[in-house]
Amino acid sequence: MFALLVWDQLPTWSEFIGTLTLAITLNLAPLNELLAGFSNPGVITVAALFPIAARMYATGAITIASKVLVGLPDKICQAQLKILPSTAGASAFLSNKTLKFNLFSYKNI
């Protein structure tokens, strides 16, 4: 599953559902334990954020936000210092999972 996520050629939901289907088919664990992981609120939150982050990236919202927040710094250290205050401020009020998920998009710019 991790290789499919890194490869990034299939929709994320199909990778997770396919992995679950394969695990159930091969009887890798009891069914209630396999499904218990998908009932965790953290998993559901991250799963819900995948399409949101994908749309933000596809529409260019991430690029616009990064240009406003970071601009075109000369060094990586300058970029990190520019993004630190907004990340720290948002971390005080938002779930860190959400921040990590959205901030990982900066590596693609």
Side-chain angles (χ1 to χ4, degrees):
M1 179 172 99
F2 294 115
L4 288 174
L5 288 170
V6 171
W7 186 44
D8 197 29
Q9 297 298 313
L10 299 171
T12 305
W13 65 269
S14 67
E15 294 171 7
F16 281 101
I17 297 299
T19 302
L20 178 63
T21 303
L22 185 66
I24 291 171
T25 304
L26 297 177
N27 201 21
L28 297 178
L31 182 62
N32 60 346
E33 290 183 18
L34 288 171
L35 295 175
F38 283 90
S39 67
N40 184 323
V43 173
I44 294 170
T45 302
V46 170
L49 289 174
F50 267 109
I52 294 169
R55 289 299 99 203
M56 287 178 65
Y57 186 72
T59 60
I62 297 294
T63 305
I64 294 169
S66 67
K67 285 182 181 176
V68 170
L69 290 174
V70 181
L72 294 172
D74 296 328
K75 298 179 182 178
I76 292 175
C77 184
Q78 290 174 335
Q80 291 171 337
L81 288 174
K82 286 183 178 182
I83 201 169
L84 180 65
S86 61
T87 305
S91 179
F93 300 103
L94 298 174
S95 167
N96 284 330
K97 290 178 188 175
T98 309
L99 283 174
K100 290 176 192 174
F101 195 75
N102 284 317
L103 289 175
F104 282 139
S105 299
Y106 285 112
K107 69 182 175 85
N108 295 325
I109 298 172

